[in-house]
Amino acid sequence: MSKKILVTGGTGYIGSHTVVELHDAGFEVVVVDDLSNSSVDVLDKIEEISGKKPAFEQFNLADAAKTDDFFKRNQDIAAIIHFAASKAVGESVQQPLHYYRNNLVSLMNILDCQRKYNVANLVFSSSCTVYGQPDQLPVTENTPRKDAESPYGNTKRVNEDILHDSVNAYPELKTIALRYFNPIGAHPSALIGELPLGVPQNLVPFITQTAAGVREQLSVFGDDYDTPDGSAIRDYINVVDLAKAHVVAITRLLENKNKTGYEVFNLGTGNGYSVLQIVNGFEKATGVKLNYKIVPRRAGDIEKIWADTTYANEELGWKAEKGLEETLLSAWNWEKRLRNIQ
């Protein structure tokens, strides 16, 4: 049986860490990425860590002809992990059409090719944004999905619907949707980490860039939420723990162990931390003081969310293992290496 896995968006933050874990688990990987929010140099870093360099092709999966040509030339793919998507909440509010076009069309093109070229298995990169602001916490996989707070969140919700309906219509397809909470941190080698192009949209890279002097000041969006310290609460998961869950999910599909054609799992730690707790945790882990200020809330942000991970822990035999301070320190080590800070 083929052990070749297609990883779309594989030079990105979560994708690159997952490629490393797939290599370590003995899989062969081919990466497709348009490099719109990542760098081709990541492939060399993956090789440095794992001893293997994935095959690579650069194009946008929203291009149906190029996607079809790729699958025609790679008919030994056993499974797909689909990360490739535009992913910034704030940007999606300003550029909704770009987000819908990029995130929905790419998935539909992949599903068309899965059927045409007999690739049954897909792991989809979903998000806790599908829950919106939940009425009860923590959220389980059965928590009702709500209207998304942003076009980005809505693309994840609609993509889940596309997958659910496709699996119902085409029983040869097998899919696992992984709903991530907030991935942070970097590989312990400090060779790969979260490097957004331009101004970071996520908290931890903004923290590390502020600590490194790349950004003058960290903005904390809102201190008037209904939380203990007024700042928003999220479930922050180490990116390596998250990457390992994808290897578990792929193995589950390849061994025909998924119980329905379409399965959903929450991937988080089960703990909620506020933005100010992350700021304080970073200062404690690294000894670096951060220059930050409180600014008004940001459009599209929810107040608080964290996961109930019982189902993933029991059904997948997976759980997040790395602690918050270790994770924040790994992010700082990556930033220091990137900026040549001693």
Side-chain angles (χ1 to χ4, degrees), residues 58-258:
Q58 181 182 352
F59 66 91
N60 190 313
L61 290 143
D63 185 321
K66 287 181 179 175
T67 304
D68 186 88
D69 175 65
F70 171 83
F71 277 91
K72 189 184 294 175
R73 290 183 286 102
N74 291 271
Q75 295 195 30
D76 55 345
I77 289 170
I80 302 158
I81 304 179
H82 182 41
F83 292 109
S86 301
K87 62 170 191 153
V89 168
E91 182 184 65
S92 77
V93 175
Q94 267 115 41
Q95 300 180 40
L97 290 179
H98 168 71
Y99 271 70
Y100 286 117
R101 187 175 296 114
N102 200 43
N103 294 6
L104 302 186
V105 174
S106 58
L107 177 64
M108 290 188 279
N109 288 343
I110 287 169
L111 287 164
D112 279 337
C113 289
Q114 281 188 260
R115 297 186 63 221
K116 184 173 179 181
Y117 297 104
N118 300 311
V119 184
N121 303 305
L122 175 76
V123 172
F124 176 65
S125 161
S126 191
S127 166
C128 67
T129 55
V130 301
Y131 297 117
Q133 180 57 66
D135 295 324
Q136 287 187 295
L137 288 165
V139 292
T140 73
E141 288 79 1
N142 296 317
T143 295
R145 298 181 312 162
K146 287 193 167 184
D147 289 345
E149 301 281 329
S150 67
Y152 162 72
N154 203 35
T155 65
K156 291 301 185 185
R157 179 181 168 139
V158 174
N159 273 338
E160 284 192 3
D161 292 340
I162 290 169
L163 289 168
H164 176 269
D165 294 344
S166 297
V167 165
N168 279 348
Y170 317 121
E172 68 272 19
L173 297 178
K174 305 291 180 200
T175 297
I176 294 176
L178 300 176
R179 290 176 180 161
Y180 314 155
F181 284 71
N182 286 54
I184 61 170
H187 194 270
S189 66
L191 286 165
I192 54 174
E194 187 171 10
L195 181 59
L197 300 185
V199 179
Q201 300 282 334
N202 293 337
L203 175 61
V204 171
F206 213 113
I207 284 175
T208 58
Q209 288 188 19
T210 302
V214 178
R215 306 284 159 201
E216 186 181 336
Q217 194 170 53
L218 169 70
S219 295
V220 174
F221 295 104
D223 65 348
D224 57 350
Y225 287 110
D226 181 20
T227 61
D229 62 21
S231 63
I233 290 176
R234 298 288 183 274
D235 185 336
Y236 295 93
I237 177 173
N238 186 290
V239 67
V240 176
D241 284 337
L242 186 65
K244 290 180 184 211
H246 292 77
V247 179
V248 174
I250 281 289
T251 304
R252 181 179 177 87
L253 288 172
L254 293 176
E255 293 177 354
N256 293 313
K257 287 182 177 172
N258 74 325

Side-chain angles (χ1 to χ4, degrees), residues 253-273:
L253 288 172
L254 293 176
E255 293 177 354
N256 293 313
K257 287 182 177 172
N258 74 325
K259 294 179 175 173
T260 56
Y262 174 74
E263 292 184 308
V264 174
F265 295 96
N266 284 339
L267 298 182
T269 65
N271 299 305
Y273 292 98

